[in-house]
Amino acid sequence: MPDLLALEPTRRLMQPAPIAPAHLSTVALEKFYRKGDHKIPVLRGVEISIRRGEFLSIVGQSGSGKSTLLHVMGLLDSPSVGEVLLDGDRIDDLPQTTRDELRNRVFGFVFQFYHLLPELSVLENVLTPLMIRHSMLGYWKRRREFKAQAEEILEKVGLTHRLKHKPNELSGGEMQRAAIARSLVAKPEILLADEPTGNLDAGTGQEILGLLRNLNEQEGLTIVMVTHDENLARSAHRLVRLTEGRLEVLSDAA
Ligand code: ADP
Ligand code: MG
C-alpha cells in the first residue's frame, strides 16, 4: 500500500493554511485611566483580529497593559474608545446584562494565581460556573449531569485523582489544572489566559502550556495567552508584543 501523503510532500507543504474568519477582534481600541485631572493612556489603538481556532500569545513588559487588553477583550472591562467584535458583531457596547450573559457563555478565564475558592473541593470549584449560570433549582435538577460534565473535564486535565482535595492540598500545577477545568466546564469558545504559568516552575509551566496546546489542537478552542515568557509564547500560532499601547507582530506561523 503506497503512502499517498509521502508521494507528494512538496504539494502538501504548499497547501495554504485555511483562512478562518475573525473570531474575536478589536478596532482602534484605546483605554486610559483617570488620575485626578490626568488621563493615563494604557492602550493607544490596538488592532487585532484573532481567527477561530487560533492560539495567540501576547508578550510585553510588566505594566504595558496586557491584563487590561485581556479584560477589555473578554468584557470584564470597557474600552475608553474603539470596539470589540465577536464574529464581526460589536459586543463592548451591549447593555450590562447582555454583556454579562455573553461573557459567561463565550469566554473562559485563567489567571496567574488560580483564584480557586479555598473552602471548596476541586470538583466543587469546577462546578461553580454552572451553579452561577443556572438557578439553584435548575442546578439541583441537573446536578448529576453537571457533575459528570465536571468530572469529564477534570479527567481531561489529569485531575481525576484529586476531585475531593481542597486547593491547599494541591501543587501549583494542579491548582492551575483545576482552574483551567473550571474555565472550560461551561464550554466557552474562547479561553483568555493571563500569565497562566507565571507562578509555576519552568517544567510545570511547560506542562500547562502543553495542556493549552492540546485543547487548542484537539478541541479547536481559540486561545489568547498573555505571558512574559517569550520561550513559551513562541509555540503559539502567532506572537505579538504590546509596546507603547500598540501591538506589533513578532512571529506568525499561519
Ligand atoms: P500588565 O498586565 O501588562 O502588567 P496592566 O494591564 O495590569 O499591565 O496595567 C497597565 C497599566 O495600567 C499600569 O500602569 C497600571 O498601573 C495601570 N492600571 C491598571 N489597572 C488600573 C486601574 N484600575 N486604575 C488605574 N490604573 C490602572
Ligand atoms: Mg498583568
Side-chain angles (χ1 to χ4, degrees), residues 84-99:
V84 180
L85 292 89
L86 180 73
D87 297 317
D89 294 322
R90 188 166 180 191
I91 55 172
D92 63 276
D93 62 344
L94 295 169
Q96 189 64 44
T97 48
T98 316
R99 279 166 50 110

Side-chain angles (χ1 to χ4, degrees), residues 31-35 40-43 59-71 77 194-195 226 242:
K31 179 75 181 177
F32 38 79
Y33 293 108
R34 284 181 195 284
K35 194 160 191 171
I40 302 170
V42 178
L43 306 176
V59 294
Q61 288 186 341
S62 181
S64 60
K66 304 183 296 299
S67 295
T68 302
L69 175 57
L70 219 56
H71 294 167
D77 201 353
D194 194 353
E195 309 261 12
V226 160
L242 187 57

